[in-house]
Amino acid sequence: MRSDDLPSVRALALFAAMSDESFDTLMQGAFLQWFPPQVTLIEEGHIADFLHVVVDGAVEMIARHGDRETTMAIMEPISTFILAAVLRDSVHLMGARTLARSRILMIPATGIRDAMARDPAFTQAIVWELAGAFRGAVKALKSAKLRTGVERLANWLLVAHDQQGGRGVVRLTIDKRTLAALLGMTPENLSRAFATLRRHGVEVEGREITLAQPSELRRLARPTPLIDDPSL
Amino acid sequence: MRSDDLPSVRALALFAAMSDESFDTLMQGAFLQWFPPQVTLIEEGHIADFLHVVVDGAVEMIARHGDRETTMAIMEPISTFILAAVLRDSVHLMGARTLARSRILMIPATGIRDAMARDPAFTQAIVWELAGAFRGAVKALKSAKLRTGVERLANWLLVAHDQQGGRGVVRLTIDKRTLAALLGMTPENLSRAFATLRRHGVEVEGREITLAQPSELRRLARPTPLIDDPSL
DNA sequence: TCATTAAATTGATAAACATCAATCATTGGG
DNA sequence: CCCAATGATTGATGTTTATCAATTTAATGA
């Protein structure tokens, strides 16, 4: 790993408070690598060898069962995935695949566990990270259980809208098939959901989506921070 | 809190490795209390004041949105709930209600955070607990997204069967309405799912369920450790 | 034991969602 | 620019699930 990448890695919340010694030890065995799109990074069911950190790009967390596949989450910079499997020295419950050209930091699982045992500040950061991951999964489960597909899309759009500056336009950074899988529906039903939302001011042109009547959309979506607020 | 309850609390994995000093400080402000069934312990959206530990009984984690309600998990002894909200000093994403007469240990959230800051062994135990909770939520989400209702019931029965000694009978410890909500369906559809499973050797008599043809049920259920193994 | 209430089951119907297929639109490579 | 491949949309149909209502069963309290 090139030494000019180190400061930006160090600035990540997970690593910021740990000691210099711990950080240097950890980075000895780590590597930061570019991957093209559609590369499988980890396989569901395999033992976790590395902690992965998305530094650039995007990674799709995938779950499969029989002939069925779903998208569990999209990891964007700067975020880790598979931390729990690493800490428990266990198997991945999900696979991961790059959605775009991505730069991924990979840190040996043993190094993470060793550093955690030695550096309390690092452990505290891990606690913070895990608590956030757990709450993210709870919110996803709530959405899946309490909302219809159309409602999930509407709320997804409102969140994306806020994250993109709230100027009436949402630019899709993922293809619609992946969005459908993330929202727990078929691509066909995503198209239909968009058609349903047309009456609520949602205009779709390829990857650009205009929210012409945001309050109308909000009325249908019924957002709640307890599901939709990424910071909660 | 009576001092003869302390040893069994101390033996909980979360507290076992922490120092005596930390444990004593934590237990100063804690209390262990019996609650009758159907008592709301925490409300969704409220700030987390206490960490809760189910010592006896059972607690249902509930999520609500509008006029809809679902069961997110059933917490049985010995388990904690709401740890992530405590650690992040944030609001509950779920409510909790006793399902049976339950003995609950309540520890002030500030005490938990203080102890975590001071006692690395406690922090390590928290990491272990959080990692498990996250993986539990991921498995629940996978089940919700990848399986039909009938399949979820079938797998739930197989897991319960194993946990109850694998002798061909499952005894329901919760009412069927709650089981339905846990599995993400209406009570009516739970009845229908049981009727569907009759052809796979599942005989229902009130709260007692006989698995007359376990391998037939297994063939329909298609269990996978990556969703169904409680230890993974 | 009996009456009342609550839970569970069953039936009918509607809504949400998936599957399959055909067509259209977009993208990427030669 | 053209063509092939891929993604998206639309239509038809089937499946899963929810809702509503009626009936049956089980549990509870006096």
Side-chain angles (χ1 to χ4, degrees):
Chain A
M1 180 160 71
R2 298 183 3 238
S3 56
D4 42 339
D5 291 317
L6 281 174
S8 64
V9 171
R10 188 76 161 98
L12 299 180
L14 190 58
F15 305 117
M18 76 194 307
S19 71
D20 287 340
E21 184 185 17
S22 292
F23 183 71
D24 292 342
T25 304
L26 209 46
M27 292 304 132
Q28 299 261 326
F31 49 112
L32 182 58
Q33 192 166 341
W34 282 100
F35 292 93
Q38 305 305 323
V39 169
T40 298
L41 300 175
I42 59 171
E43 291 275 8
E44 203 173 349
H46 288 193
I47 198 79
D49 295 317
F50 296 93
L51 176 68
H52 292 67
V53 184
V54 186
V55 177
D56 283 296
V59 172
E60 177 187 16
M61 307 309 300
I62 302 155
R64 289 195 181 102
H65 183 43
D67 59 337
R68 300 172 201 167
E69 175 179 302
T70 194
T71 299
M72 299 289 281
I74 312 273
M75 308 314 294
E76 291 180 321
I78 300 176
S79 57
T80 69
F81 59 91
I82 299 307
L83 178 57
V86 165
L87 296 169
R88 283 214 167 203
D89 197 10
S90 189
V91 296
H92 302 297
L93 296 179
M94 302 177 269
R97 170 165 74 198
T98 52
L99 275 177
R101 188 166 174 267
S102 305
R103 193 161 56 145
I104 309 293
L105 172 65
M106 288 177 284
I107 308 173
T110 51
I112 294 288
R113 290 192 292 268
D114 290 348
M116 189 184 75
R118 261 189 338 247
D119 186 323
F122 184 49
T123 314
Q124 302 261 351
I126 283 177
V127 164
W128 188 266
E129 184 82 16
L130 276 177
F134 171 71
R135 287 165 76 84
V138 165
K139 283 182 282 186
L141 185 59
K142 283 172 79 172
S143 189
K145 288 184 109 177
L146 291 171
R147 284 179 169 155
T148 64
V150 170
E151 288 167 343
R152 292 197 292 279
L153 174 59
N155 280 285
W156 188 90
L157 287 171
L158 289 172
V159 171
H161 181 238
D162 287 349
Q163 287 173 343
Q164 294 180 25
R167 276 164 306 200
V169 182
V170 173
R171 176 146 198 94
L172 291 188
T173 57
I174 56 177
D175 61 282
K176 284 179 192 170
R177 290 158 37 80
T178 303
L179 178 59
L182 178 65
L183 297 176
M185 68 183 78
T186 61
E188 292 95 334
N189 273 347
L190 180 67
S191 278
R192 292 191 180 97
F194 272 123
T196 298
L197 293 186
R198 206 176 287 142
R199 294 196 301 267
H200 299 267
V202 176
E203 296 152 18
V204 182
E205 218 174 317
R207 283 197 169 195
E208 207 155 87
I209 302 165
T210 305
L211 309 190
Q213 303 165 61
S215 54
E216 176 69 24
L217 183 62
R218 185 168 286 270
R219 202 167 297 124
L220 174 138
R222 292 185 301 131
T224 165
L226 298 182
I227 300 179
D228 306 304
D229 187 341
S231 68
L232 270 192
Chain B
M1 181 159 74
R2 299 183 1 238
S3 55
D4 41 340
D5 290 317
L6 281 174
S8 65
V9 171
R10 188 77 160 97
L12 299 180
L14 190 58
F15 306 117
M18 74 193 311
S19 71
D20 286 342
E21 185 184 17
S22 293
F23 183 72
D24 292 342
T25 302
L26 208 46
M27 291 304 132
Q28 298 262 324
F31 48 113
L32 182 58
Q33 192 167 338
W34 282 102
F35 291 93
Q38 304 306 324
V39 169
T40 298
L41 300 175
I42 59 170
E43 291 275 6
E44 203 172 346
H46 288 193
I47 198 81
D49 296 316
F50 295 94
L51 176 68
H52 292 68
V53 185
V54 185
V55 177
D56 284 294
V59 172
E60 179 186 13
M61 307 311 299
I62 301 155
R64 289 196 183 101
H65 183 40
D67 60 337
R68 299 171 202 169
E69 176 178 303
T70 193
T71 299
M72 299 290 281
I74 312 273
M75 309 313 296
E76 291 182 320
I78 301 181
S79 57
T80 70
F81 59 91
I82 299 307
L83 178 59
V86 165
L87 296 169
R88 284 213 167 205
D89 197 8
S90 189
V91 296
H92 302 297
L93 296 180
M94 301 178 269
R97 170 166 74 201
T98 53
L99 275 177
R101 185 165 175 267
S102 305
R103 191 161 58 145
I104 309 293
L105 172 65
M106 288 177 284
I107 308 173
T110 51
I112 295 288
R113 291 192 292 269
D114 290 347
M116 189 184 76
R118 261 190 336 250
D119 186 322
F122 183 49
T123 314
Q124 302 262 351
I126 283 177
V127 164
W128 189 266
E129 184 83 18
L130 276 178
F134 171 71
R135 287 165 75 83
V138 165
K139 283 182 282 185
L141 184 59
K142 284 172 76 173
S143 188
K145 287 186 109 175
L146 292 170
R147 284 179 170 154
T148 64
V150 170
E151 286 165 346
R152 292 198 291 278
L153 174 60
N155 280 285
W156 187 90
L157 286 171
L158 289 172
V159 171
H161 181 239
D162 287 348
Q163 287 173 343
Q164 292 179 26
R167 277 163 308 199
V169 182
V170 173
R171 180 147 193 94
L172 292 189
T173 56
I174 55 177
D175 59 281
K176 284 178 190 170
R177 289 157 38 82
T178 304
L179 178 59
L182 179 66
L183 297 176
M185 67 183 80
T186 61
E188 292 97 331
N189 272 347
L190 180 68
S191 277
R192 292 191 180 96
F194 272 123
T196 299
L197 293 188
R198 205 175 288 142
R199 291 196 305 267
H200 300 267
V202 176
E203 295 153 19
V204 182
E205 218 174 314
R207 283 195 169 199
E208 205 155 272
I209 301 165
T210 305
L211 309 190
Q213 303 165 60
S215 55
E216 175 68 26
L217 182 63
R218 185 167 286 272
R219 201 168 298 124
L220 174 137
R222 291 184 301 130
T224 166
L226 299 182
I227 300 179
D228 305 305
D229 188 341
S231 67
L232 269 192

